[in-house]
């Protein structure tokens, strides 16, 4: 009797942190991506994390020429960072580097696993007039219609904030 009451207490205590843990971070949810925006001096750093399903419609190693072409086209599109992401025009930002990481971008993509795969993108811009850098328009929805939502975290000169973008709301401000 005493033992079972103790177990209940433990269970209740263990449940308490759950609402904190159950946030969107770390989840692989088709239709949703995560974007971290960091403004550091004259540098704008964007970290994108998305299920590949949002970009090409599948997450397994490409089996057909059409699927291989889809992967290449997706990567080429994302490397045109200046067309995908539009920082405040007055800030005069230009792309410094783009790095894409995904199992499907490897020369011989691994098969197996749990059948799910992500793409991580790192996009760095440098801005001539960083004081005017106040927002970012995200054009991913137009290029990748399977993407329906982006959870954005901003670390800007005035602190941290969060936003949720959609095809109807493509701009995040800080
Ligand atoms: Zn998946």
């Amino acid at each position: 009797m005493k033992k079972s009451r103790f177990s209940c207490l433990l269970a209740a205590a263990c449940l308490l942190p759950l609402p904190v843990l159950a946030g969107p971070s770390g989840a692989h949810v088709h239709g949703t991506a995560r974007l971290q925006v960091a403004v550091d001096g004259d540098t704008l750093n964007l970290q994108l994390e998305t299920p590949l399903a949002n970009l090409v419609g599948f997450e397994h190693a490409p089996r057909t020429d059409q699927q291989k072409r889809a992967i290449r086209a997706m990567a080429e599109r994302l490397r045109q960072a200046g067309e995908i992401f539009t920082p405040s025009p007055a800030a005069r930002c230009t792309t410094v580097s783009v790095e894409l990481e995904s199992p499907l971008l490897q020369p011989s993509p691994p098969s197996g696993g749990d059948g799910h795969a992500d793409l991580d993108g790192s996009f760095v811009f440098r801005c001539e007039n960083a004081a005017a850098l106040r927002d970012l328009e995200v054009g991913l929805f137009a290029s990748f219609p399977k993407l329906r939502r982006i959870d954005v975290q901003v670390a800007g000169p005035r602190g941290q904030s969060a936003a949720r973008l959609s095809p109807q709301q493509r701009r995040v401000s800080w």
Side-chain angles (χ1 to χ4, degrees), residues 28 30 51 59 116-117:
H28 174 105
H30 292 187
E59 300 185 337
H116 292 279

Side-chain angles (χ1 to χ4, degrees), residues 36-40 133-134 152-163 172-174:
Q36 294 188 344
V37 178
V39 181
D40 183 11
L133 184 57
R134 286 274 175 255
V152 185
Q153 300 275 344
V154 179
R158 289 183 293 176
Q160 302 201 345
S161 58
V172 56
S173 305
W174 56 87

